[in-house]
Amino acid sequence: MGEIRPDRRSQSQVWLVIAIVVGSLLIDQAIKLYIATHFALGESHEVTSWFWLCYVENNGMAFGIEWFSKLALTLFRLIAVGLLGWYIHTLIYKQHAKTGYIATIAFIIAGALGNIIDCVFYGKLFGYAGWFYGRVVDMFYFPLIRNSAGEVLFFRPVFNFADSCITCAVAVILLFYMKELSKDAGVKDLESGQK
């Protein structure tokens, strides 16, 4: 029996995943390095009344939540990216999932890797901590709704490009790809088509 070769669709999906991950990582890290080297920690600049660039560092998970130790969180993220890599491989080569769904998973992987890079390298790079103890650089701030005193009522979090990749991809999955989340249904459909 010969070696199973991936079809053109699978090959194009692999290249799409690589392009999304590499492209998103380059954008994310370019923005973070610019902010970290051109802004003082805590410095902010108003771009418009509803969009600011701010330099903050996040010690924990989204919105500054700290449920685990820094090392445990970083290791958890690495394991999660490994599992997502295995999952996307399965989607491409075994389940023949929709390209849009595969792209959303690629954006989640890219976002997770972007924040992992900060955690693994930034502490050492900027000289404030050792390997795996760096902080995530955040910069986007959208104070969309304010009261008459100028206090922000809606959207206080400061986030980064990697966070946006994850959040937008999850939103797209919830809106358009809920069926794809059920792997068992996809496998049964595939098996029934082969009989």
Side-chain angles (χ1 to χ4, degrees):
M1 289 210 235
E3 179 182 320
I4 298 174
R5 295 188 177 189
D7 59 18
R8 284 188 181 183
R9 181 172 186 257
S10 297
Q11 288 176 337
S12 66
Q13 287 176 335
V14 168
W15 283 111
L16 176 66
V17 168
I18 292 168
I20 288 171
V21 171
V22 171
S24 298
L25 280 175
L26 289 174
I27 293 168
D28 178 63
Q29 291 302 305
I31 295 168
K32 287 174 177 174
L33 289 171
Y34 177 82
I35 294 294
T37 56
H38 289 79
F39 283 55
L41 189 59
E43 182 181 351
S44 62
H45 295 280
E46 181 178 358
V47 179
T48 70
S49 61
W50 51 268
F51 172 52
W52 291 61
L53 285 175
C54 307
Y55 177 21
V56 298
E57 291 181 336
N58 182 348
N59 245 343
M61 296 167 47
F63 309 118
I65 297 168
E66 294 184 37
W67 288 341
F68 310 104
S69 75
K70 187 68 181 171
L71 182 60
L73 179 59
T74 303
L75 293 175
F76 170 77
R77 286 175 172 156
L78 286 167
I79 292 167
V81 166
L83 290 173
L84 283 172
W86 170 82
Y87 179 58
I88 208 165
H89 177 271
T90 301
L91 288 174
I92 292 171
Y93 291 110
K94 295 186 179 162
Q95 293 188 18
H96 304 288
K98 295 178 181 176
T99 300
Y101 181 61
I102 289 169
T104 60
I105 302 300
F107 275 110
I108 292 171
I109 290 171
L113 281 173
N115 288 334
I116 286 169
I117 289 171
D118 297 20
C119 294
V120 173
F121 299 107
Y122 278 25
K124 200 72 170 168
L125 179 67
F126 294 109
Y128 62 81
W131 301 107
F132 291 90
Y133 288 92
R135 295 185 293 264
V136 175
V137 174
D138 292 325
M139 75 291 298
F140 299 135
Y141 178 50
F142 290 88
L144 298 176
I145 301 174
R146 298 172 185 257
N147 64 16
S148 57
E151 297 170 334
V152 176
L153 298 176
F154 179 69
F155 217 71
R156 294 174 187 252
V158 180
F159 56 97
N160 59 45
F161 186 80
D163 298 332
S164 300
C165 288
I166 295 169
T167 303
C168 293
V170 169
V172 169
I173 288 170
L174 293 175
L175 290 171
F176 302 107
Y177 295 109
M178 287 300 291
K179 285 183 180 179
E180 297 290 329
L181 285 176
S182 173
K183 289 192 298 183
D184 291 336
V187 172
K188 285 178 188 169
D189 292 342
L190 187 61
E191 288 171 354
S192 65
Q194 291 175 346
K195 288 181 182 176

